[in-house]
Amino acid sequence: NWYQRAADMGHTMAQYNLGYSYLVGQGRQTNATLAAQWFRRAAEGNSSNGQFMMGLLHSQGRGVAADPEMAVQWYRRAAEQDQGQAQYKLAAALEAGHGVPSDQAEA
């Protein structure tokens, strides 16, 4: 399919969309591990949505090991690019001390 071709060529939006399609089973079998692999490629290509999804997957342990510290790192990278959902998740983690020491001022 076209997403696969574009993703293989390094297009981060296609990589994100392919990851999403694997995550929710849109047009293909659900596979959280493959979803995480494609979200990671998008995230490493500086996709804020890919970075947010990597944070979410690490916080839930879907397709990757559950790792609250890694989740916060990905949320922070996305939040620095003004990704709203990541800003919210980062603030919640900072407030509650999940994956980072609690920091009310930064939250």
Side-chain angles (χ1 to χ4, degrees):
N1 83 27
W2 293 109
Y3 279 135
Q4 182 73 51
R5 290 180 187 178
D8 288 338
M9 293 175 62
H11 295 278
T12 58
M13 184 179 290
Q15 292 168 342
Y16 171 83
N17 287 333
L18 191 56
Y20 186 81
S21 71
Y22 276 114
L23 187 66
V24 300
Q26 184 178 27
R28 61 193 70 243
Q29 194 96 19
T30 302
N31 186 323
T33 301
L34 283 175
Q37 290 172 7
W38 284 109
F39 285 137
R40 177 176 291 282
R41 288 180 69 178
E44 290 172 348
N46 214 30
S47 163
S48 62
N49 289 330
Q51 292 164 350
F52 168 73
M53 289 306 296
M54 286 306 299
L56 192 63
L57 293 178
H58 276 290
S59 72
Q60 298 172 347
R62 289 180 70 191
V64 293
D67 185 339
E69 291 176 15
M70 184 62 68
V72 168
Q73 289 176 27
W74 282 115
Y75 288 148
R76 188 177 303 278
R77 287 179 65 181
E80 288 170 354
Q81 295 189 69
D82 295 326
Q83 210 285 356
Q85 294 170 295
Q87 290 171 339
Y88 174 80
K89 291 285 193 177
L90 177 59
L94 288 165
E95 183 176 48
H98 292 294
V100 290
S102 180
D103 187 337
Q104 300 298 313
E106 188 179 359

